[in-house]
Amino acid sequence: GGIDGTVRELLRHRPARIDAVELDPALIAMVRRRLPEEIRASLAHPSVHPITADPRRFLKESSASYDLILIGMPEPSSGQTNRFYTQEFFRECAARLNPGGVIGFRLHTAENFWTPQLTRRTASIHHALASVFPEVLVLPGTTTVITASHTPLPRSPDILNERLRTRGIRARLITPPYIRYLF
């Protein structure tokens, strides 16, 4: 999804192409005119290719390959959304990643207290992910950030902070202190 500002942030890294796969075209049509101008502009950027499709089907039928797959789906709380946090879906993602590629997503959690239900849900997703990818990095917090790859992932905030610095990226939320906090 791109209506949350993710596409705008990705464009700061100057990618050659962004395929923004949206499950619900009615949602985009309904909110597009109410989006802030910078988000509307990012969705119209020449590098951005909006695609209306079921993301699972898109990955299965596509021949494209990616350096990064961001899963911007809602919480896995229904049959509609649970299917984006399964071993099968993670396999489809893995099949479309370039060597060294990464998938990433966020889950709403709690910073200091995990209920048994929250723990089981997160452990189930982690287990499905780890059955497909040998490298999984979980950065817990009120929003838990999870990344996975077939190659080693950065285990230090210094690597990511240096990438932001050398690219000259000044983000509103993802800053060096925030990255250090996550790690």
Side-chain angles (χ1 to χ4, degrees):
I3 62 173
D4 64 352
T6 301
V7 169
R8 177 191 63 202
E9 294 302 315
L10 287 172
L11 286 169
R12 293 175 185 239
H13 296 271
R14 298 177 288 288
R17 180 182 177 102
I18 297 173
D19 287 341
V21 181
E22 181 58 55
L23 179 63
D24 187 354
L27 174 67
I28 296 294
M30 181 176 67
V31 300
R32 179 170 241 138
R33 66 182 177 272
R34 291 181 173 84
L35 293 173
E37 175 54 39
E38 68 265 10
I39 293 178
R40 279 198 312 266
S42 72
L43 295 173
H45 191 277
S47 297
V48 177
H49 300 269
I51 298 166
T52 301
D54 178 280
R56 286 182 68 141
R57 178 171 286 153
F58 174 77
L59 286 172
K60 188 175 285 198
E61 295 174 356
S62 174
S63 61
S65 61
Y66 300 96
D67 295 323
L68 175 65
I69 296 175
L70 289 178
I71 303 166
M73 300 304 295
E75 288 294 299
S77 58
S78 70
Q80 170 98 4
T81 57
N82 284 350
R83 62 199 182 100
F84 297 106
Y85 299 91
T86 63
Q87 183 182 53
E88 294 78 15
F89 182 65
F90 295 143
R91 277 192 198 123
E92 294 296 335
C93 291
R96 294 288 155 244
L97 282 178
N98 289 324
V102 175
I103 75 165
F105 56 93
R106 301 176 299 189
L107 293 172
H108 294 292
T109 53
E111 194 165 20
N112 57 2
F113 179 74
W114 285 29
T115 64
Q117 179 184 4
L118 180 62
T119 302
R120 283 190 302 273
R121 182 213 59 184
T122 307
S124 173
I125 293 168
H126 183 273
H127 179 72
L129 196 60
S131 72
V132 175
F133 294 97
E135 289 286 323
V136 178
L137 177 63
V138 178
L139 301 172
T142 55
T143 298
T144 294
V145 176
I146 302 173
T147 58
S149 181
H150 287 290
T151 58
L153 293 164
R155 303 280 177 186
S156 163
D158 299 334
I159 295 167
L160 298 176
N161 286 333
E162 180 61 19
R163 288 179 185 168
L164 284 178
R165 190 190 67 70
T166 58
R167 292 179 184 176
I169 295 173
R170 296 183 56 84
R172 188 173 58 104
L173 296 175
I174 307 301
T175 62
Y178 179 71
I179 292 172
R180 278 192 296 281
Y181 166 76
L182 284 178
F183 276 84

